[in-house]
Amino acid sequence: MAASKCTRLSSALSRQLLDSVDSVLFDCDGVIWRGDQAVPGAPEVINSLKKNGKRVFFVTNNSTKTRKMYADKLAKLGFNATADEVFGTAYCSAMYLKNVCKLDGKVYLIGSNAMRQELEEVGIQPVGVGPDPISGVQIDWANVPLDKEVQAVLVGFDEHFSYMKLNRALQYLCNLDCQFVGTNTDTRLPLEGGKAVPGTGCLLRAVETAAQRQAQVVGKPSNFMFECVASQFDLDPQRCLMVGDRLDTDIMLGSNCGLKTLLTLTGVSTVAEAEANQKSECPHRQKMVPDYYVDSIADILPALQA
Amino acid sequence: MAGTVSSSRGCVTLRGAQIRDLLDAKHNVLFDCDGVIWNGETAVTGAPEVVSLLKQRGKRVFFVTNNCTRPRENYVQKFCRLGFTDVAEEEIFSSAYCSAAYLRDVARLQGKVYVIGCGGVMKELQDAGVPVVEEDSAADREPGTSIYNCPLDPDVKAVLVGYDENFTFMKLAKACCYLRNSECLFLATDPDPWHPLRGGRITPGSGSLTAALETASSRKATVIGKPSRFMYECIASQFDLDPARSLMIGDRLETDILFGSNCGLSTVLTLTGVSTLEEAHRYRDSEAPEQKDCVPDYVVESVADFLQALEE
C-alpha cells in the first residue's frame, strides 16, 4: 500500500489495490448512480468485481428506501445485487434501535414509509408517520397526548415535516430517558435530474435545537454503518475498500474504520478539496483524504477485465 | 488555582437601598416580557405597579421581547388586559416589529420578502410597508407542484424566518431556493430554541426553524432579536438613549442578559422565568470569557422587589 495519499489510481495501481482487498463497499448517490441513471460503466464494474470473487456492498445514508426497494432499483439499472448486500439508513436505523439502543417499546418516527417498514420488520412499532397538520392553540401543542410506550424519537428524511411533528418530537424528548436517534446529517438529498432538496440534516438540526439535545447518528461517517455490514459478513477492515464521492461521509467512514478509500469524482467532492484537507494541519481534516481517486468508477474496469 | 483572586463579579442580590441607588443612576429601564412582567396570561404580582411607579418617577420604560407572535397593537391590548394601565405602542419593541424596521430602514429592501412566520410577523411587515410574497396555497396544490418543483417569485430579495406553526418542508425547500442567490438577505426574528408556556411546558421556537434553514442553505442568518444589538439600536434610533443610564431586566441569561452586556447596559436577572440562580452562578464561575457576558450584574426574586424602593 502506498504511504502517500490522494493519488490518482492508474491501471497498475488498480490491479494492486484490487488484489489487496476482498470486499468493496460502494456509496450510491454520485458513485454508482445519479438520480435514476446509472453512472456509465458502473454496472459492469460491480458485476466484474463479483466475477473476480470480490464481495460487494452498498452503503447509503439515504433513508427513503427499504433494502428491497434498493435491490429493485439496482436490478433495474443492470446491477447484479441482492437486498442483503444493501445497507441504507432506513434498515440500519432499525438495526441500531434494536441492537444498540435495545429498544423495548415504540418509536416516534419523523420519516418515510420505507423507514416504517424496516422498523416493523425488526418488531419495532413506529408512530407518527405521514402528514401531521397543526390545529388548536399553543398550549394545546405543549399538551399533545403522548404515547406512553414511545421510548425513542427517530428522525429521517420526511417530506411531511411540519411544526407539529417538530413539536411532538420535542415533547417526547423532554423526557431524558427517551432516546434520540437520527439517520444521517446530510444537508441535501439528491434527486433525479441533478436536483436536490434540503436533507435530513436540516430536520435533525431543527429537533436538536428545540430539544437542546444531540442525536445519536446512525449514518456515515458514524462507524455503525460499517459495523452493521462487518458483523453480518465477517469483514476484515484491512481487506476492505470504501468507494465514495463525499469526503465528509464516505472517506471519513473509511478512515475511521481502517478501510482503504477511493474517491470518485462523479459526485459531490473535488480533488482540490481533498488536497486542501491533506495540506491542513487539522487531524479531523486529515481523515477526509482518500488513499486514491478516480474520475469515475468506470476507470477501474480495464484492470478488472484484464 | 490557589491564591488567585476570582474574577467572578456579578449576581449581586439587590436589596433595599441598593435598589434605590441603582434606579437613581438609571433613566431608562428595558423590560423583557415573558417571565419578567407576565407569565402567559397572568401578570407577575406587582409588575403593573412597578411600571407605573417608574414612569411617575420620570423614568422611561421600554419593553423588549423576542416573542414575534403578536403585532404591537395586540401587545397594547395584552398590557391593558393584565392591568398595565399606561403602556404606549411606541414603548413596545418586539422582534417582529424590529425585523420589519430592519428590512425597511437598514436593508432598505427593494423587492419582496419571503416569510416563514406567523400572523404577528406578517402584520408588522404589512404595517411597515414591506412587500411580502403571498403564500399561495392554491398554487402549491396544483398537480406537479411538489417539494421538488415549486414556482419562485423573481422579486424576492430577502428571506425572513421566525416562529411559524404552519412550517412545512415545502416552505423550507422554497426558502432554501431563494437563499441560493447570495444577494438575497437572510434574516431571523430571534434565536430562541424553544418558548416557555405556562405550567413549565415548552414549544419549539424560531431558533429551531432557523437552524433547519441555516443547515439547508449553508448560510448564517442575521438575527434581529436578543442577544443581537439590533433591537437596542432600533429603540435608540427613535429615542435618545445613554447606555450608561439604561438598565435591562430579563429572565433568560443567554438572551436578555447577554443582550444587555452586548449593548453596554447594566443587567438584572429576575427569577420568575426561565433561568435559575444556579445557572447564573455557573456562568459566573466559568473559565470561558464569552460566558462572562451572560452573568447578570444584579439578581432579584421578582420585579416586585423594586416596589419598596419606588414607593418610598
Side-chain angles (χ1 to χ4, degrees), chain A residues 30-262:
Chain A
V31 179
I32 63 169
W33 62 51
R34 278 179 294 217
D36 56 2
Q37 304 238 305
V39 163
E44 289 82 352
V45 168
I46 270 74
N47 300 343
S48 277
L49 279 166
K50 289 190 161 189
K51 281 210 197 85
N52 271 265
K54 308 297 179 193
R55 283 191 301 191
V56 172
F57 303 100
F58 305 91
V59 183
T60 174
N61 276 359
N62 191 319
S63 62
T64 63
K65 291 183 172 38
T66 60
R67 322 177 82 189
K68 174 84 177 47
M69 291 170 181
Y70 274 120
D72 291 344
K73 179 171 178 175
L74 284 161
K76 197 167 135 197
L77 294 178
F79 295 89
N80 169 16
T82 57
D84 63 334
E85 292 165 340
V86 180
F87 291 78
T89 49
Y91 170 69
C92 291
S93 298
M95 295 302 285
Y96 186 88
L97 281 169
K98 180 152 182 249
N99 299 332
V100 178
C101 298
K102 307 241 190 282
L103 196 74
D104 176 29
K106 297 181 186 171
V107 61
Y108 177 69
L109 174 62
I110 292 178
S112 55
N113 272 314
M115 290 179 70
R116 182 180 54 75
Q117 284 175 47
E118 293 286 23
L119 286 163
E120 286 170 348
E121 196 106 331
V122 300
I124 296 175
Q125 196 194 332
V127 296
V129 183
D132 190 359
I134 202 90
S135 62
V137 294
Q138 263 196 338
I139 197 64
D140 300 328
W141 312 332
N143 287 312
V144 285
L146 299 183
D147 188 324
K148 288 189 177 62
E149 292 178 68
V150 165
Q151 294 196 0
V153 168
L154 173 62
V155 179
F157 183 78
D158 186 354
E159 61 179 5
H160 296 293
F161 188 78
S162 64
Y163 184 84
M164 194 48 156
K165 290 191 166 199
L166 171 60
N167 175 59
R168 279 193 217 271
L170 169 62
Q171 303 309 331
Y172 280 116
L173 290 171
C174 282
N175 171 6
L176 294 179
D177 290 332
C178 181
Q179 305 216 45
F180 183 18
V181 181
T183 54
N184 60 304
T185 55
D186 298 58
T187 58
R188 297 173 76 56
L189 180 81
L191 300 174
E192 340 298 31
K195 291 193 194 163
V197 286
T200 307
C202 310
L203 312 184
L204 192 58
R205 274 313 290 147
V207 180
E208 287 187 324
T209 303
Q212 296 285 286
R213 287 179 62 171
Q214 260 206 314
Q216 303 167 63
V217 180
V218 172
K220 298 172 283 181
S222 155
N223 290 12
F224 183 75
M225 294 292 274
F226 176 71
E227 284 160 14
C228 216
V229 190
S231 64
Q232 289 184 25
F233 290 92
D234 195 24
L235 301 182
D236 174 3
Q238 292 187 357
R239 304 275 312 167
C240 289
L241 174 65
M242 176 74 211
V243 183
D245 70 310
R246 284 189 74 125
L247 296 169
D248 60 344
T249 50
D250 307 315
I251 305 306
M252 175 79 97
L253 172 70
S255 299
N256 282 339
C257 296
L259 319 179
K260 300 179 184 24
T261 53
L262 173 63

Side-chain angles (χ1 to χ4, degrees), chain B residues 5-223:
Chain B
V5 172
S6 164
S7 64
S8 34
R9 40 165 287 281
C11 291
V12 172
T13 304
L14 270 179
R15 291 195 176 89
Q18 288 173 315
I19 301 184
R20 202 179 46 236
D21 292 342
L22 178 64
L23 290 177
D24 284 346
K26 303 296 175 188
H27 183 56
N28 310 303
V29 184
L30 284 68
F31 286 93
D32 173 40
C33 298
D34 297 307
V36 179
I37 60 169
W38 60 51
N39 272 302
E41 280 289 309
T42 313
V44 163
T45 310
E49 291 77 11
V50 168
V51 170
S52 258
L53 287 169
L54 281 167
K55 290 184 162 198
Q56 284 174 37
R57 297 265 176 291
K59 308 294 179 196
R60 276 197 309 196
V61 174
F62 301 101
F63 302 92
V64 188
T65 175
N66 275 0
N67 189 323
C68 62
T69 59
R70 296 168 198 272
R72 298 208 298 175
E73 63 228 43
N74 280 28
Y75 271 116
V76 173
Q77 289 166 17
K78 181 168 180 175
F79 275 106
C80 272
R81 218 165 42 240
L82 267 55
F84 298 81
T85 51
D86 47 6
V87 174
E89 200 175 293
E90 320 55 276
E91 294 166 335
I92 304 169
F93 289 80
S94 74
S95 60
Y97 171 75
C98 291
S99 296
Y102 183 97
L103 283 166
R104 186 193 56 204
D105 304 331
V106 179
R108 296 182 193 278
L109 195 75
Q110 300 293 319
K112 295 183 187 169
V113 58
Y114 180 74
V115 182
I116 293 177
C118 52
V121 174
M122 297 299 197
K123 184 69 169 58
E124 291 291 9
L125 288 166
Q126 190 181 21
D127 286 351
V130 176
V132 172
V133 173
E134 288 302 314
E135 195 54 53
D136 195 346
S137 336
D140 288 352
R141 283 196 292 269
E142 283 292 302
T145 305
S146 67
I147 57 170
Y148 312 110
N149 168 31
C150 45
L152 297 183
D153 188 318
D155 291 333
V156 168
K157 298 283 192 298
V159 168
L160 172 63
V161 57
Y163 181 88
D164 184 4
E165 67 270 26
N166 293 305
F167 185 76
T168 58
F169 191 93
M170 174 80 93
K171 290 185 175 187
L172 175 64
K174 271 197 192 168
C176 191
C177 287
Y178 286 122
L179 288 174
R180 272 200 217 121
N181 174 3
S182 57
E183 306 267 305
C184 180
L185 296 180
F186 183 12
L187 297 193
T189 55
D190 69 277
D192 297 355
W194 46 266
H195 296 309
L197 302 177
R198 63 173 181 271
R201 312 307 304 271
I202 63 176
T203 191
S206 312
S208 59
L209 306 185
T210 304
L213 190 47
E214 287 186 326
T215 307
S217 63
S218 301
R219 289 178 61 171
K220 279 237 148 279
T222 299
V223 180

Side-chain angles (χ1 to χ4, degrees), chain B residues 4-11 283-289 292 295:
Chain B
T4 309
V5 172
S6 164
S7 64
S8 34
R9 40 165 287 281
C11 291
Y283 279 117
R284 183 194 62 189
D285 300 335
S286 140
E287 297 291 323
K292 300 293 186 196
V295 180

